[in-house]
Amino acid sequence: HKATLNLLGQVLTERFGDYAGGFDVKYGVYIPLVNIVRRLSLLHGIRAGSTLERIEALDRLGKYQHLEDIRRAFLLAMRLRVNTPYSVQDGLLISSDYVAESELKNKQLLSELRESLLLVRRLHRALQRQLRSAERWRS
């Protein structure tokens, strides 16, 4: 899990390399959301195949209040991943999974991304607390 927001809540972008100024959507938003939804689904025995199906199944349980926010953040991550530059190598699509610096200048997009990252951070912290509590209970 890499840091995606600084102390002031600003989106952290790559500082060096080919993707300098860009943001890694896959590891910054997409994978953390998928893993959080997987964890909640495992807790409740939900066997849905896709993340969106899992979110819907969790919503039917009526136990979680942030599922619509999670759904919206996940759809944003999907939209951003689909729009990242790609190339074809050996008949396969290869994507960088980085949103370009120029796209991050769109204030609406940056605001949506920031809100998604704040949600991921809150959920990640809550999950860590839950896991620590479960470990203490077992000890």
Side-chain angles (χ1 to χ4, degrees):
H1 178 71
K2 65 193 225 183
T4 54
L5 295 170
N6 67 15
L7 292 173
L8 301 174
Q10 297 168 320
V11 175
L12 289 176
T13 57
E14 292 296 318
R15 295 180 62 195
F16 307 103
D18 293 340
Y19 305 109
F23 180 79
D24 186 352
V25 176
K26 182 176 180 180
Y27 289 97
V29 180
Y30 179 81
I31 288 178
L33 286 172
V34 167
N35 286 337
I36 288 165
V37 172
R38 278 184 185 157
R39 169 78 170 117
L40 294 175
S41 296
L42 284 171
L43 277 173
H44 298 288
I46 294 170
R47 295 184 169 267
S50 77
T51 301
L52 287 173
E53 289 171 349
R54 290 179 181 131
I55 291 170
E56 289 173 17
L58 288 165
D59 193 31
R60 286 192 293 273
L61 295 175
K63 290 185 165 200
Y64 300 101
Q65 59 184 335
H66 297 292
L67 290 171
E68 184 53 37
D69 295 333
I70 292 172
R71 184 181 160 300
R72 192 175 17 245
F74 180 74
L75 290 174
L76 171 68
M78 295 282 287
R79 189 175 81 227
L80 291 174
R81 286 193 74 197
V82 164
N83 290 326
T84 57
Y86 65 90
S87 62
V88 178
Q89 293 178 3
D90 298 324
L92 299 173
L93 293 178
I94 307 296
S95 173
S96 70
D97 291 316
Y98 281 83
V99 175
E101 182 178 16
S102 59
E103 287 186 57
L104 293 175
K105 292 181 182 178
N106 176 325
K107 296 217 184 280
Q108 175 67 31
L109 175 68
L110 191 59
S111 174
E112 289 179 58
L113 179 58
R114 184 178 174 278
E115 288 302 313
S116 295
L117 294 171
L118 286 168
L119 174 67
V120 165
R121 182 164 64 184
R122 281 193 313 269
L123 294 170
H124 187 260
R125 286 180 179 165
L127 187 58
Q128 282 180 318
R129 282 191 303 272
Q130 186 182 52
L131 292 172
R132 276 195 300 269
S133 176
E135 286 174 4
R136 280 193 299 271
W137 182 258
R138 274 186 252 154
S139 296

